[in-house]
Amino acid sequence: MNRIINSLSVFGLGLIGGSFALAIKSKFPDIKIFGVDQNHNHAAKALELNLIDEIKSADDKEVLGSDLIILAIPVSAIQAILSELLTKISDKTVVIDTGSTKASICQCVSQHSKRAQFVAAHPIAGTEYSGPEAAFPKLFEGKKNIICEFELCNDLAQKYANWLFETVGMNNIFMDAENHDKHLAYVSHLSHISSFMLGLTILNIEKDEENILNLAGSGFASTVRLAKSSPDMWAPIFQQNKTHLSKALDEYIMQLQHFQKQLEVGDSAALKALMHKANEIKKVLK
Amino acid sequence: MNRIINSLSVFGLGLIGGSFALAIKSKFPDIKIFGVDQNHNHAAKALELNLIDEIKSADDKEVLGSDLIILAIPVSAIQAILSELLTKISDKTVVIDTGSTKASICQCVSQHSKRAQFVAAHPIAGTEYSGPEAAFPKLFEGKKNIICEFELCNDLAQKYANWLFETVGMNNIFMDAENHDKHLAYVSHLSHISSFMLGLTILNIEKDEENILNLAGSGFASTVRLAKSSPDMWAPIFQQNKTHLSKALDEYIMQLQHFQKQLEVGDSAALKALMHKANEIKKVLK
């Protein structure tokens, strides 16, 4: 891999933005990395941790003239700033977003004169932790990255996107934005809601938190892990993917109610049949 | 720790029974370990893997005269055989069960003349894997073990139980059986159903399993991990804990429906408030 860019601006210096900065810096120490974050504590922390070289404001000339801008901010913020950002950047700047929804983000710049300088991406990587301290350079290694509407990007944007995701160790998958959102509702967003609500149910009943600690095994910890995730990040994702997600929730609730009914009538064979079907998830998970 | 027993019989040579056998053998190689399993393949495998010294039948004299018998079979099987087993064992044999429900097991031997030789236990340890190949000697190390109705055990039974759980590295907690079942419905059994049904929902929608593989992140894998668990083990647990579990399911479904409603009306502040509350699970999980 060659260094094909000289400057990079990262909007949002949390887990995702910080990890991109670290991964790129570790391979290309000569690339100048500017950091933009509305949260001054996060910005200061990112500088202190050497995630970035310099803190800048969103409308700084060097930022708007960077070779590459990565947006690692909540999807509502991406949608709010993307159009104006495209208007302001130089003709040789490429913007890549990393949001967990794609349809409404793509929609809001579909008619923009600089649409070709924007790459709609979703790196499938993350942990339940957030903020600059959670960032680490190997977060993306070996993971999948989804790119939507790649055919709408110009050559430079495609080149920079390929270079970026290869540099951090990801494998690209290409799909349309609507399809992305539908599948992600099931394989990611629903998991998060299931986990958040499980956490809530258990906190409500177990007033004495000591009991949870004592009685919970590793299975509980695993199922409820995502309940630690950031509400500020996830609320906009859920809202932007409302239609698919609500349908996924309908189906999940229906499965739970069906299971409960078999439990109540004492049909052990039916319960086992449902679990045997669920066991097939073994085939797709390692 | 001294070796205070000479012989041990393990009923059920899967993950739990096999791990007890391995943990004890690793510290006290002189203890003779008999293995009992209706599944001949499991029994043969357990012998081949050196989990046990000898395969025996459940009514073998040496088994019924062992110093200690550990029951690591499905809770329905424990309930089916426990009373008759107590009748047949020697006066100096202690039986310890490891089932994930406690109230109905304790109930079915509450009037037994040899009740004092039985210890009702639930080691909080396990993985989503099952069978003799899944067993490993350190499974229990540092984990909690719940003992119910310890006051009904005679001195010998208490002594053997203390010795056994200390040998495998567990810390004991004491509670009544009804309380155990209620708490476990929330912190363990509900997690399993949530995970099984999530697996089912996703397999139903994602006919093309390749998509799941490509799009699923580590969060999904973590939430759905328990969907790999054994239906034969879990169906009886759910049935025996039906009352508490159905109530827990009611509450979980109510939380999901409430979340869905806020999602549909677009109340982002309400969604965030629910997630912030769920975040408190951080305090009780590492």
Side-chain angles (χ1 to χ4, degrees):
Chain A
M1 294 287 293
N2 295 319
R3 171 165 71 77
I4 63 170
I5 66 168
N6 294 310
S7 59
L8 166 70
S9 295
V10 178
F11 283 50
L13 302 169
L15 170 68
I16 300 295
S19 296
F20 269 111
L22 282 172
I24 291 165
K25 203 71 180 175
S26 72
K27 300 221 171 128
F28 301 106
D30 292 343
I31 294 176
K32 182 89 173 172
I33 303 186
F34 305 119
V36 177
D37 203 308
Q38 283 193 322
N39 180 325
H40 297 301
N41 293 334
H42 275 194
K45 194 66 178 175
L47 194 62
E48 184 193 322
L49 293 169
N50 289 314
L51 306 186
I52 55 170
D53 296 314
E54 234 176 277
I55 304 173
K56 293 274 191 190
S57 68
D59 52 5
D60 180 278
K61 275 192 181 160
E62 286 189 278
V63 167
L64 298 171
S66 313
D67 295 321
L68 180 59
I69 295 175
I70 296 176
L71 301 182
I73 51 182
V75 291
S76 49
I78 295 173
Q79 199 163 332
I81 70 164
L82 183 57
S83 180
E84 198 179 343
L85 182 67
L86 288 183
T87 306
K88 287 181 181 170
I89 56 171
S90 85
D91 289 345
K92 295 209 167 149
T93 297
V94 169
V95 176
I96 302 183
D97 93 307
T98 61
S100 296
T101 54
K102 294 271 73 74
S104 69
I105 289 170
C106 285
Q107 178 59 32
C108 79
V109 291
S110 63
Q111 303 301 318
H112 199 288
S113 61
K114 286 182 178 161
R115 172 63 186 86
Q117 289 172 248
F118 167 62
V119 182
H122 178 196
I124 310 284
T127 72
E128 67 274 34
Y129 303 107
S130 47
E133 297 92 339
F136 61 100
K138 290 182 183 296
L139 174 61
F140 305 106
E141 265 186 30
K143 309 277 174 64
K144 308 278 181 183
N145 174 57
I146 305 173
I147 300 183
C148 299
E149 303 188 348
F150 206 39
E151 67 285 0
L152 300 184
C153 304
N154 63 24
D155 290 350
L156 190 71
Q158 294 196 357
K159 183 176 157 193
Y160 283 4
N162 285 329
W163 171 85
L164 174 68
F165 295 112
E166 195 179 333
T167 295
V168 303
M170 303 195 92
N171 302 307
N172 295 328
I173 302 167
F174 302 90
M175 60 197 303
D176 72 81
E178 200 57 51
N179 235 339
H180 165 278
D181 285 10
K182 182 186 159 193
H183 287 300
L184 265 290
Y186 285 87
V187 302
S188 165
H189 307 168
L190 180 61
S191 287
H192 281 79
I193 295 179
S194 133
S195 203
F196 274 121
M197 293 306 103
L198 195 61
L200 215 51
T201 305
I202 282 147
L203 287 166
N204 277 349
I205 190 76
E206 300 286 354
K207 309 289 176 209
D208 176 7
E209 291 172 358
E210 197 60 34
N211 267 328
I212 308 182
L213 260 186
N214 280 336
L215 305 182
S218 59
F220 172 72
S222 160
T223 318
V224 89
R225 178 168 77 83
L226 299 179
K228 302 179 193 170
S229 303
S230 157
D232 291 335
M233 174 183 160
W234 283 97
I237 293 172
F238 297 152
Q239 286 297 354
Q240 287 196 11
N241 206 14
K242 183 157 100 170
T243 311
H244 294 301
L245 191 49
S246 190
K247 187 157 178 295
L249 270 167
D250 273 342
E251 286 160 25
Y252 181 48
I253 291 168
M254 210 185 63
Q255 296 286 356
L256 288 165
Q257 286 170 331
H258 179 60
F259 193 90
Q260 187 182 27
K261 198 178 159 191
Q262 305 306 320
L263 179 70
E264 283 175 356
V265 301
D267 190 343
S268 235
L271 293 184
K272 280 188 196 174
L274 289 169
M275 290 187 268
H276 274 296
K277 261 176 84 180
N279 278 171
E280 287 174 28
I281 206 79
K282 281 179 196 169
K283 285 194 272 176
V284 288
L285 291 180
K286 285 130 243 171
Chain B
M1 294 289 294
N2 296 319
R3 171 167 68 79
I4 64 170
I5 65 168
N6 293 311
S7 59
L8 166 70
S9 294
V10 178
F11 284 51
L13 301 169
L15 171 68
I16 300 295
S19 295
F20 268 111
L22 281 173
I24 290 164
K25 203 70 182 175
S26 72
K27 300 221 172 130
F28 301 106
D30 292 342
I31 294 175
K32 182 88 175 174
I33 303 185
F34 304 119
V36 177
D37 203 309
Q38 284 194 321
N39 179 325
H40 296 301
N41 293 334
H42 275 193
K45 195 66 179 173
L47 193 63
E48 184 192 322
L49 294 168
N50 287 315
L51 305 186
I52 55 169
D53 297 314
E54 234 174 279
I55 303 174
K56 294 273 189 188
S57 68
D59 53 5
D60 180 279
K61 273 193 183 159
E62 285 189 279
V63 167
L64 298 171
S66 314
D67 295 320
L68 180 59
I69 296 175
I70 296 176
L71 301 182
I73 51 184
V75 291
S76 49
I78 295 174
Q79 200 164 331
I81 70 163
L82 183 57
S83 182
E84 198 179 344
L85 181 66
L86 287 183
T87 305
K88 287 182 182 168
I89 55 171
S90 86
D91 289 344
K92 295 207 167 153
T93 297
V94 169
V95 176
I96 302 182
D97 94 306
T98 62
S100 295
T101 54
K102 294 270 73 76
S104 69
I105 289 171
C106 285
Q107 178 59 34
C108 79
V109 290
S110 63
Q111 303 302 317
H112 199 288
S113 60
K114 286 182 180 163
R115 171 65 185 84
Q117 289 172 247
F118 168 62
V119 182
H122 178 197
I124 310 284
T127 72
E128 67 274 34
Y129 303 107
S130 47
E133 298 92 338
F136 60 101
K138 288 180 184 297
L139 174 62
F140 305 105
E141 265 187 28
K143 309 276 174 66
K144 309 276 180 182
N145 174 56
I146 304 174
I147 300 183
C148 299
E149 303 188 349
F150 206 39
E151 67 284 358
L152 300 184
C153 304
N154 64 23
D155 290 350
L156 190 73
Q158 293 197 356
K159 184 176 155 191
Y160 284 4
N162 286 329
W163 172 85
L164 172 69
F165 295 113
E166 197 179 332
T167 296
V168 302
M170 303 196 93
N171 303 308
N172 294 328
I173 302 168
F174 302 90
M175 60 197 303
D176 71 82
E178 199 57 51
N179 236 339
H180 166 278
D181 283 11
K182 182 186 158 193
H183 287 299
L184 266 289
Y186 285 86
V187 302
S188 165
H189 308 168
L190 180 61
S191 287
H192 281 79
I193 295 178
S194 134
S195 203
F196 275 122
M197 293 306 102
L198 196 62
L200 214 52
T201 305
I202 283 147
L203 287 166
N204 277 348
I205 191 78
E206 300 287 352
K207 311 285 179 216
D208 176 8
E209 291 172 1
E210 197 60 34
N211 267 328
I212 307 184
L213 259 186
N214 280 337
L215 305 181
S218 59
F220 171 72
S222 161
T223 318
V224 89
R225 179 169 75 84
L226 299 179
K228 302 179 193 170
S229 304
S230 157
D232 291 335
M233 175 184 160
W234 282 97
I237 293 172
F238 296 152
Q239 285 297 354
Q240 288 196 10
N241 205 14
K242 180 158 103 170
T243 311
H244 295 300
L245 191 50
S246 189
K247 187 157 179 293
L249 270 167
D250 273 342
E251 286 160 24
Y252 181 49
I253 290 168
M254 209 185 62
Q255 296 286 356
L256 288 165
Q257 286 170 330
H258 178 62
F259 193 92
Q260 187 183 28
K261 198 178 160 192
Q262 305 306 320
L263 179 71
E264 283 175 355
V265 300
D267 189 343
S268 235
L271 292 183
K272 279 188 195 174
L274 289 169
M275 289 187 267
H276 274 295
K277 262 176 82 179
N279 277 171
E280 286 174 28
I281 206 79
K282 280 178 195 168
K283 286 195 271 176
V284 289
L285 293 179
K286 284 129 243 172

